[in-house]
Amino acid sequence: MDLSAINEELAEIEGQITDILRALSNGFQKLEKIKDPNRRSRQLEELTDKMRDCKRLIKDFERLVKEEEVTNTRDTIKMLTDRKQSMIKELNSYVALKKQQQNENKRIDLFDAGADNDYEENVVQASSMSNQQLINHGNSLLDETDQAIERSKQTVQSTINVGSETAAALKAQTEQMSRVVNELDSIHFSIKKASKLVKEIGRQVATDKCIMAFLCLIVIGVIAIIIVKIVSPHNKDIPDIPGLAPPVNNRRLLWIPN
């Protein structure tokens, strides 16, 4: 779908982004053929500037798409969003390619540092050496390179070991934290259970106190009735206590006189 039918500014920005992405593709293809580190660095700087311009244009494109959401259909907005995502994806691929090329330049600088400055001196030195000397010198350089690679391998292995130890320590700490959390949960459960038990004991104690108080009142009442009965045995207003014999009016001895 031609974007000029929707918005001419959108179509213009899309054209500019397409041109920059095409230039980035051609630039990285040329970069693969360049061996000189300085030229590669300059080429990468130019490509980085183009990527910045492309990112700015994509933001302008996104801003215009948001403005068009009011006046266009959902399908049109979806189509514009898909185009924006496609452009962002392509730009991100070039950003990753740039990082890869930068890493390669660092490796080239590492192994070829000082090669340009000493080029003429090396040529003069090589011309004055015999074939055997050149072979010996080459073998010496190869040995040095092998040693450097071996040191790099040892460094990488040491880094891997440190990472493994760190991962093991983190795993142990994670397990310890899990155990601590489990113990805290157990403590919380025990405290909750103890609180519930204390409440039940409190209710039982309160119930026992009420029962004891009620029994005390009953005993006091019974004692009071017994005392009143003893003091006033002829008082008819006081009922008899069940299980207690009524007082005897006159105690007579069973005695038969001679």
Side-chain angles (χ1 to χ4, degrees), residues 110-143:
L110 177 64
F111 290 104
D112 296 338
D116 292 337
N117 296 331
D118 299 335
Y119 177 74
E120 294 181 358
E121 181 180 353
N122 291 337
V123 170
V124 174
Q125 183 179 0
S127 62
S128 62
M129 296 171 66
S130 63
N131 292 335
Q132 186 62 38
Q133 290 176 337
L134 288 173
I135 292 172
N136 294 334
H137 184 66
N139 292 331
S140 176
L141 292 177
L142 288 175
D143 292 337

Side-chain angles (χ1 to χ4, degrees), residues 31-253:
L31 187 64
E32 294 290 339
K33 301 177 183 180
I34 299 175
K35 302 301 180 181
D36 182 46
N38 294 328
R39 289 181 59 193
R40 289 174 65 88
S41 298
R42 287 195 297 269
Q43 181 73 7
L44 276 177
E45 290 177 359
E46 294 177 1
L47 294 175
T48 302
D49 293 337
K50 291 183 182 295
M51 283 187 279
R52 290 196 189 98
D53 295 338
C54 185
K55 183 178 180 181
R56 176 181 54 80
L57 290 172
I58 289 175
K59 287 184 178 180
D60 294 339
F61 187 90
E62 182 179 9
R63 176 180 54 80
L64 291 174
V65 169
K66 290 182 179 179
E67 293 177 358
E68 292 294 328
E69 289 180 354
V70 182
T71 58
N72 286 280
T73 62
R74 182 178 299 175
D75 293 337
T76 303
I77 298 302
K78 185 177 182 301
M79 181 270 295
L80 293 174
T81 303
D82 292 340
R83 289 197 180 185
K84 181 196 71 174
Q85 294 296 334
S86 176
M87 291 184 289
I88 291 174
K89 184 177 180 181
E90 187 173 357
L91 178 60
N92 288 336
S93 66
Y94 290 128
V95 171
L97 191 59
K98 183 198 78 169
K99 292 181 180 179
Q100 181 182 353
Q101 294 295 335
Q102 285 178 338
N103 292 332
E104 290 182 1
N105 285 347
K106 289 180 180 179
R107 287 198 297 270
I108 291 172
D109 292 339
L110 177 64
F111 290 104
D112 296 338
D116 292 337
N117 296 331
D118 299 335
Y119 177 74
E120 294 181 358
E121 181 180 353
N122 291 337
V123 170
V124 174
Q125 183 179 0
S127 62
S128 62
M129 296 171 66
S130 63
N131 292 335
Q132 186 62 38
Q133 290 176 337
L134 288 173
I135 292 172
N136 294 334
H137 184 66
N139 292 331
S140 176
L141 292 177
L142 288 175
D143 292 337
E144 292 177 359
T145 303
D146 291 338
Q147 292 174 3
I149 293 173
E150 188 63 29
R151 287 193 297 270
S152 300
K153 288 181 179 180
Q154 292 176 358
T155 303
V156 171
Q157 187 62 38
S158 176
T159 304
I160 293 173
N161 293 336
V162 172
S164 300
E165 293 175 357
T166 304
L170 288 175
K171 184 178 180 181
Q173 290 178 359
T174 303
E175 293 176 353
Q176 184 178 3
M177 290 297 295
S178 299
R179 289 194 296 270
V180 170
V181 171
N182 293 333
E183 291 177 359
L184 288 176
D185 292 338
S186 300
I187 293 172
H188 178 71
F189 177 76
S190 300
I191 292 174
K192 188 175 180 180
K193 188 174 181 180
S195 299
K196 186 176 180 180
L197 184 60
V198 168
K199 289 181 181 178
E200 291 178 357
I201 293 173
R203 284 196 295 267
Q204 291 178 359
V205 170
T207 304
D208 294 341
K209 286 183 178 179
C210 292
I211 293 172
M212 292 297 294
F214 185 69
L215 291 176
C216 289
L217 290 176
I218 292 174
V219 171
I220 292 172
V222 171
I223 293 173
I225 292 172
I226 292 173
I227 293 173
V228 171
K229 273 289 187 179
I230 294 173
V231 174
S232 302
H234 302 289
N235 191 348
K236 301 299 182 178
D237 295 332
I238 301 174
D240 294 333
I241 299 174
L244 184 65
V248 180
N249 294 330
N250 293 317
R251 294 183 179 273
R252 294 179 180 180
L253 297 176

